[in-house]
Amino acid sequence: MEDFNLNNQNMLINVLHNWNGLTLEQLFRERWKAPKKLVHEWRMSKEVKLNGHPVTWSTILQQGDMLSIPIMDTAENAAVQATNLEIPILYEDDWLLVANKPAGMDTHPSQPGDSHSLINGVAYHLQQTGQICMIKHIHRLDQDTTGAVLFAKNRLVGSMLDRMLEEREIKRTYLALVEGILHTREGEIKEKIGRDRHHATRRRVSPTGQTAVTHYRVLNRDQKRNLTLISCTLESGRTHQIRVHFSHLHHPLAGDTLYGGKRIFKRQALHARKIEFIHPISEENMIIEAPFMDKPEIFDANL
C-alpha cells in the first residue's frame, strides 16, 4: 500500500484504473458511499484537490491522477488514553489496521477510567509511531476471545468498513474447540439469540431474539479428550453467538463455564483466526491471519 501517505494531514491517493471516468462526486457518493455530512464538509472546505489543485466535483478522474483528501478528524482520538500493552499489529496501512487481541482484555473500555483495553494498546502503537489520527474498532471480540480485530484510522474508512460489515462483505473465520464429538462434517445453526432474563451477561436461544446464523466445519476430532476442533463463519454478529449456538447443541466450547463448558482451559477455546475483505480504498483482496497467543497452547496441538 505504498501509494498512500500523509502530507500535512491530507491523505494522498493514486487514482485507480477502476475509477477511470468517474467524477469526484461519483467516487465519494456512489463508489465509496461516504457519509453525506463528511462529503458536505469536504465540498465546503474546498480542500479536496486533484494533482495539487482545487477542482470542481464534476471533474473526471483518470488513472495516475493524485487525489488529496483532508483528514480533519484528529481530535476524535483525544479521548482514547494510550497504554503500552504490547499489542501485536498484524497489518497496517494509512487507512486501517488489524490487531491481534490477547485473552482477558476488552476490545474497548467497559467503564470510565479503564485504560487497559485493546483500543488503548492500539492508541499507544499509533502514538509511538508518530501517527496523529483517530482510531475506531469496526467489530468486537469477547474479553476472553483472542484474535483479529479490525480498526479504522479516519471517518471515511470507518464509515465504509461499518457498511461493509453490515452488508456481510467482511468475512471473519473463527476456530473453536467444542466438548464432545461432532459427527457431521459441516452444518448450519439458525437459532435466534436474545438476552437471558436471569443473568445479566449471558445470552440464550430465544424465538423472540435476533436472527443469528453460524456456519461450521469440523477440522479435527480428538477422541482421547472428547473434543472437536471446528471452523466457524457468521452471517450475523450477535453477542456470544458461537458460544450460545454450540451450547444449545449440547456441545459447549471447552473452557466456557458461562455456557456449561468444563474448565478444561482458563478461557473459552475461541480464536478469531482470519479476516477477509476488499480494501475500501485500494480495492485489494485482504486476507489477514492471527497467530495463536495462548501459553500454554490451546489450539496448536490440535491442528
Side-chain angles (χ1 to χ4, degrees), residues 11-27:
M11 192 70 79
L12 302 179
I13 310 167
N14 278 343
V15 171
L16 302 180
H17 173 75
N18 293 346
W19 305 344
N20 272 347
L22 293 179
T23 66
L24 197 57
E25 177 95 20
Q26 288 173 320
L27 177 68

Side-chain angles (χ1 to χ4, degrees), residues 60 195 212 253:
I60 295 175
R195 291 183 175 274
L253 271 59

Side-chain angles (χ1 to χ4, degrees), residues 14-293:
N14 278 343
V15 171
L16 302 180
H17 173 75
N18 293 346
W19 305 344
N20 272 347
L22 293 179
T23 66
L24 197 57
E25 177 95 20
Q26 288 173 320
L27 177 68
F28 285 130
R29 293 191 183 276
E30 297 175 17
R31 193 169 189 93
W32 286 353
K33 299 178 182 176
K36 291 180 180 179
K37 181 181 177 182
L38 191 57
V39 172
H40 178 72
E41 285 180 15
W42 286 346
R43 186 194 290 273
M44 291 299 101
S45 71
K46 298 183 177 3
E47 290 184 79
V48 174
K49 298 178 181 179
L50 198 64
N51 302 320
H53 303 289
V55 290
T56 66
W57 284 59
S58 60
T59 299
I60 295 175
L61 303 173
Q62 295 294 329
Q63 183 179 10
D65 286 345
M66 182 65 73
L67 182 62
S68 173
I69 304 175
I71 298 303
M72 302 194 332
D73 51 15
T74 56
E76 294 188 18
N77 202 28
V80 180
Q81 182 176 333
T83 307
N84 184 7
L85 301 175
E86 299 182 348
I87 301 299
I89 304 301
L90 303 174
Y91 173 83
E92 181 176 22
D93 59 38
D94 289 336
W95 300 94
L96 54 86
L97 66 79
V98 179
N100 199 3
K101 189 183 89 62
M105 180 182 291
D106 289 323
T107 302
H108 60 88
S110 57
Q111 56 189 6
D114 179 11
S115 60
H116 285 76
S117 71
L118 182 65
I119 199 169
N120 299 111
V122 171
Y124 180 84
H125 163 77
L126 294 177
Q127 183 185 85
Q128 292 302 109
T129 50
Q131 299 182 69
I132 304 173
C133 60
M134 63 165 272
I135 191 69
K136 171 188 176 180
H137 62 86
I138 302 303
H139 58 99
R140 293 176 290 180
L141 294 177
D142 297 341
Q143 185 181 75
D144 282 332
T145 298
T146 55
V149 178
L150 177 61
F151 289 85
K153 290 185 178 182
N154 58 62
R155 286 182 291 168
L156 172 63
V157 166
S159 69
M160 294 170 79
L161 291 173
D162 281 343
R163 176 183 55 77
M164 290 168 63
L165 186 70
E166 184 178 344
E167 296 177 0
R168 301 174 188 169
E169 294 175 5
I170 298 176
K171 180 182 178 182
R172 291 174 286 161
T173 302
Y174 297 81
L175 292 183
L177 277 167
V178 301
E179 292 186 6
I181 302 300
L182 285 173
H183 296 288
T184 55
R185 285 186 58 189
E186 56 186 39
E188 177 183 88
I189 309 170
K190 299 177 70 173
E191 298 286 353
K192 293 181 178 180
I193 293 175
R195 291 183 175 274
D196 187 330
R197 297 194 308 273
H198 307 292
H199 196 290
T201 59
R202 193 162 54 195
R203 300 296 191 271
R204 66 184 181 90
V205 166
S206 168
T208 59
Q210 294 177 301
T211 300
V213 180
T214 301
H215 300 276
Y216 70 89
R217 181 167 55 92
V218 171
L219 301 179
N220 196 10
R221 298 178 178 93
D222 186 338
Q223 301 285 350
K224 185 175 180 180
R225 293 195 299 170
N226 195 35
L227 297 174
T228 302
L229 177 68
I230 58 172
S231 171
C232 298
T233 58
L234 311 180
E235 285 189 22
S236 43
R238 309 305 176 199
T239 300
H240 300 176
Q241 179 171 323
I242 295 171
R243 300 166 66 186
V244 172
H245 272 170
F246 282 94
S247 177
H248 180 70
L249 293 186
H250 307 294
H251 289 282
L253 271 59
D256 192 1
T257 55
L258 182 62
Y259 290 102
K262 299 183 181 68
R263 198 177 291 277
I264 301 172
F265 307 114
K266 62 182 179 181
R267 68 175 185 92
Q268 71 263 9
L270 184 60
H271 178 70
R273 179 61 164 171
K274 183 166 60 175
I275 186 165
E276 302 172 69
F277 58 96
I278 301 299
H279 194 288
I281 304 299
S282 74
E283 301 185 6
E284 294 178 67
N285 185 28
M286 309 297 296
I287 302 175
I288 301 157
E289 293 197 12
F292 303 116
M293 294 183 286

